[in-house]
Amino acid sequence: MSRRAIAVEFDLVSALGPDAETTWGALVTGQSGVRPFARFPAGPARPSNAAFVDGLEPGHGDTLVVQMLRPVLERHRHAIPSDAQLLLATTNGEIEYLERAVAGEPASAKDSVPTVLATKVQALVGLERPGVVVSAACASSTVAIAEGAAMIRAGEAESVLIVACDFVSEFVAAGFRSLGALAPDRARPFDRDRRGLSLGEAAGFLLLMDEHRARAEARTCHAEIAGWGVSSDADHITAPSATGQGLATAIRKALATASVDPRNVGSICAHGTGTRPNDAMELQAFARVFADAVPTYSVKGAVGHTMGTAGLVDAIVAVQSLTVGTAPPTAGLLEPDTDALTWVSASPQSCSPMVALSTNSGFGGVNSALVLRRCEAPR
Amino acid sequence: MTSPLDDGVPSARVTGLGWIAGGRFAAERLGLTGSFDDLSELRDELVERGILPAPIRRFAKLDDACRMASLVAGLALHDAGVACGGDVARDVAVLGTSERGCLETNRAFFADYLRHERRSGRGSLFVYTLPSIPASEVSMQFKLVGPTAWLGSADARGRLLLDRAEAMLRRGDSAAVLCFDVSESGGVGLLLDRAPDGPGPVADLAKVRRLAPSLATLEPIVDVVRRAFRA
């Protein structure tokens, strides 16, 4: 029997605030958490700006991702069933262990392997079963949500906890700098003069539950994860496909698994990194699938590119957007690029509150899409 | 996770299996074996013997995990009789696992960055500092356009990989799934599908799993699959 996967609980910490509600409030009013950044030693690799979470203390007790995760998960621990299957999405997790070890400080690089973090999260939440790490570059958490929803639909699990986290490390900043991907000031997704991405950090969770159990436990239904699709460009290690074919395939798969007609999609939470190739590729993909422009936005000018957490942030924002029927503005957008005209806006856009699409792509050519449906929407 | 095998639904089947270990390699269904001194020599031999349809692109630039993943994937695909490469895209998912993710490449990237007095990282190293890149590299080398991901578990990563691959096949996420478990010194790759018929002998995965003593890694299934192919 096919079952629906319901989002019954979620929260996150981002540069815009300590919880999802604060983050949403800042997003819809066009605020940005991208600001001057001075976490690690000054040098060419340190970005001048990044979207960082207030109050994190490097080198003091917990690693930075655990400092982000602990308060979020502890706030909701009572609502997370101990039999939930944990899927942890991250790209670099606790990479500071490796940074310290390589720099000759007392630390073990092996502790940076993400399966170690999964064991910590399992203990932090009090889950019965070991966690599984799902890593698919910057689409990691979208792929994890897709897998979690698929497990519930297939009856393999009754509840799945997707946890995602990544932080702005010297390691990651040096890498993105070396690729020339960082914006000199701030990410401006879909803008005519966009010049790169802003790094960001965030951590959070999404609890999915089989609809029957959710009903039996009188859980709040925030949205249904109605469809999902994942594909690979099989083309280039860093550059997205110029045609958007791979992402279009992922979107079509997601719409098909949700049995949703493209005309019924009310809004799109795009990956929208602010790099020229990514944003152009996404618009190509959207144009392949949708006959008319759909209200589209990116949150990365506001919360930065949160890497493995990006898909979780986007999914949560998409759920919030469905709840109120408003697509938040694209922070950083001044003048939409030619192909983005009529799709994106620097102001909030009203949209159909029934079905939303969320998309992410990542290094290695991975593409992913989720279809989220408002709970009371007709099937 | 609950194994999708427990409900009596017919399992997936193994259509090809390749492995590399201790300076030896094999494609088990076809009974191809050989030895080598280093991975570049192995790549050349696999091309000469027609096992790889073309040389692995950018082989010298790949990190060890990507080289190993590409080679075991090539062995498994050839073993299954699947001609991959060129511009023909195939609906095959790629799921990879390993004990330590991309730890060694991470270490190399950051050490290089520190050696250069924190001026700049090397982009050519940075692109391999994601656990999922070996799976993506396999998808690029063989033009496999299904989902790709790295899955990790502190518990039993071999079992995890097979559970997820079977679930993906059951859901119809892709027509076939290429799984691999690699380290810097060796690896195992296998191709799974659910098609009812196909060329040559295949190994029923449910039977393989019942006979494999442990699935902490994928390595224990090699002997079982070999026997099933020979049966």
Side-chain angles (χ1 to χ4, degrees), chain A residues 133 135 147 156 170 178 232, chain B residues 113 118 121 150 152 164 171:
Chain A
V133 179
S135 196
E147 187 63 19
E156 292 176 51
E170 187 171 7
S178 71
S232 178
Chain B
Y113 167 70
R118 292 185 146 99
W150 180 87
R164 300 330 306 152
R171 300 193 301 249

Side-chain angles (χ1 to χ4, degrees), chain B residues 4-5 26 35 37 60 92 113 128 147 168 186 199 227:
Chain B
L5 293 171
S35 58
D37 289 326
V92 177
Y113 167 70
Y128 297 106
M168 290 174 75
R227 289 199 297 273

Side-chain angles (χ1 to χ4, degrees), chain B residues 89-112:
Chain B
R90 287 183 181 271
D91 180 23
V92 177
V94 185
L95 295 182
T97 191
S98 52
E99 182 183 2
R100 302 196 296 181
C102 48
L103 178 64
E104 297 312 320
T105 303
N106 288 353
R107 207 193 299 263
F109 168 75
F110 203 67
D112 179 77

